[in-house]
Amino acid sequence: MTPPATPEGSAAPETSGAPEGSATPEPPAAPESSESSGTPESSATPRRKKPEELRSHQWYGTEGLRSFSHRARTRQLGYLPEEHLGKPVIAILNTWSDINPCHAHLRDRAQAVKRGVWQAGGFPLEFPVSTLSETFQKPTPMLYRNLLAMETEELLRSYPVDGAVLMGGCDKSTPALLMGAATADLPTVFVPAGPMLPGHWRNEVLGSGTDMWKYWDDKRAGLIGDCEMSELESGLARSPGHCMTMGTASTLTAAAETLGVTVPGASSIPAVDSGHDRMAAASGLRVVELVWQDLKLSKVLTREAYEDAAATVLALGGSTNAVIHLIAMAGRSGVPLTLDDFDRIARTVPVLADLRPGGRYLMEDFYFAGGLPGFLARLGDTLHLDRPTVAHASLREQLDGALVHNAEVIRPLDNPLASEGGVAVLRGNLCPNGAVIKHIACERHLLKHTGPAVVFDDYRTMQATINDPALGITEDSVLVLRNAGPLGGPGMPEYGMLPIPDHLLKKGVRDMVRISDARMSGTSYGACVLHIAPESYVGGPLALVRTGDLITLDVEARTLRLEADDAELERRRAAWTPPPPRYTRGYGALYQEQMTQADTGCDFRFLAAPGADPEPYAG
């Protein structure tokens, strides 16, 4: 891979001795090449900003009372004039917290980002923002994705910053940060949190999430007991970092790298590898140069970039959650990405990554096999290679020389794991606006199946009754969960991998057709139809299903159908009563009022609306 160029040393603009507010030093000279970060290469030298053109100059560099006050308060923080005047101010948005194990190392990584910013002649400021912990936050961090997006957007708009480094990785944090940053539209680099180390138990390599589901089912089937489960608690997640399977976190950080908003290879580096620290520093170096070049996020997040991100998700056999998030992210960039785009792209790319839960390997294996650069090089001309990234003038240049070192982990095009992308989009009278299924993680015999529905009106009822013999559940049944969507959940929790009844687990059944308007963890597996739109809570067809109805799933035909005629469905619809609102006040009420459905990305209507907000007057 072509080594990108980096700012070196401490080529900071000289401001020492200049009157505060009047210093307008020249930006650093164009940097020489180095190993860590990237500078777009092109035949035409891009125009570079002057210090007085920096956004932060409006706060610091004018002659008015407000600029005097801003400089005085910056002295209160302990900074010298020459540390910040005339330099790009870089906001480091850090989602670290004590309750988020995926981000437990990001406080340290922020120091590496600052190191890079200082060395490039910028002025770093760290901002703590909301942490979205998939592990602990209830009912689901999806309820709060748009809140973090809103916080990101408004923070970047309201403070004297010229560029941003976004630090996240746990499932919802990546799309939330990028959604807000796309709207704010500053020069931006994303720093992925990185996958944790592989789990281990009794000489078995474990994948977080994926093996949790597997061994929990084994316990319910009576195959292992409490002692084994206690050992598994200590072996499943061994280090900081997000899930090391191709779950939602790894899928979305890979999508971010494909979009072109990270330094090359960033998404594949394990969280505790020293290369992760170097990547963070490289990101700090890079963002300063982006500010001088005025390379805003909108120049990178193009239609072609989002199509390539979708292709990457599908070729990785990635998480179904990425469909919702990429649609929302694209919407913030003014790009109309739809379920039909995903279905079209899925038919053009094979699955090349043999990663759990659909395959065998884990993210550390993927990293050493060549990481995302090697993977994208395999896809080759399937991608739009002439679009820019934050590190190079084109994705083609960024991937030049990228290699694959293990063809079992990253398959060649002539030996794919599957001939089509790992997620299929379904249509039919049960999901007129669409649904998705990760068919690469299903048992093959269930990809075309007709069976009688067993309906649960909510998740708690399902939990309490799933093992009730009176329900008569067999392996041919179709388990149906409703009122678990964006509004009904609320927040569309990851309930979609409905548990298989104990008596069937004991018979060796490990997969069944399950249907819901919920999501499921990217680490999950099975014949789970998800994201049914419109959801049952707003009167979608799922609300009309009755226990005993026949439901047909046909993945090859891309259909999901309730075997009932239109007249019968209309009779049921006329008898349906809308449920009461989940919230009557607070953020929940705002969420309820503004939330859109899964097929359009679950964004807030007022945030997804077109238009631009004015820059604040700094006085």
Side-chain angles (χ1 to χ4, degrees), residues 382-434:
T382 303
L383 306 174
H384 300 87
L385 295 173
D386 295 319
R387 59 183 176 84
T389 72
V390 299
H392 286 84
S394 71
L395 182 62
R396 187 185 306 278
E397 291 175 4
Q398 184 160 312
L399 298 180
D400 183 31
L403 300 173
V404 172
H405 310 296
N406 187 333
E408 290 295 313
V409 180
I410 302 175
R411 302 282 193 94
L413 287 171
D414 60 2
N415 184 31
L417 198 68
S419 59
E420 291 188 352
V423 175
V425 175
L426 307 176
R427 303 279 184 178
N429 66 355
L430 259 182
C431 52
N433 293 349

Side-chain angles (χ1 to χ4, degrees), residues 225-286:
D226 291 339
C227 291
E228 289 86 352
M229 294 303 291
S230 179
E231 292 174 9
L232 282 160
E233 282 184 12
S234 299
L236 195 61
R238 301 170 46 236
S239 78
H242 58 66
C243 289
M244 77 304 257
T245 56
M246 188 46 69
T248 304
S250 293
T251 301
L252 284 165
T253 54
E257 183 174 339
T258 304
L259 285 169
V261 298
T262 76
V263 297
S267 67
S268 312
I269 307 170
V272 296
D273 192 292
S274 63
H276 197 269
D277 215 38
R278 297 193 297 272
M279 176 272 293
S283 300
L285 283 162
R286 184 70 199 112

Side-chain angles (χ1 to χ4, degrees), residues 54 64 84 91 98 117 144 181 219 303 371 422 443 545 554:
L54 293 172
H84 73 97
D98 274 330
V117 172
Y144 303 103
K219 182 179 186 296
R303 169 79 191 185
E443 291 191 6
V545 181
D554 189 335

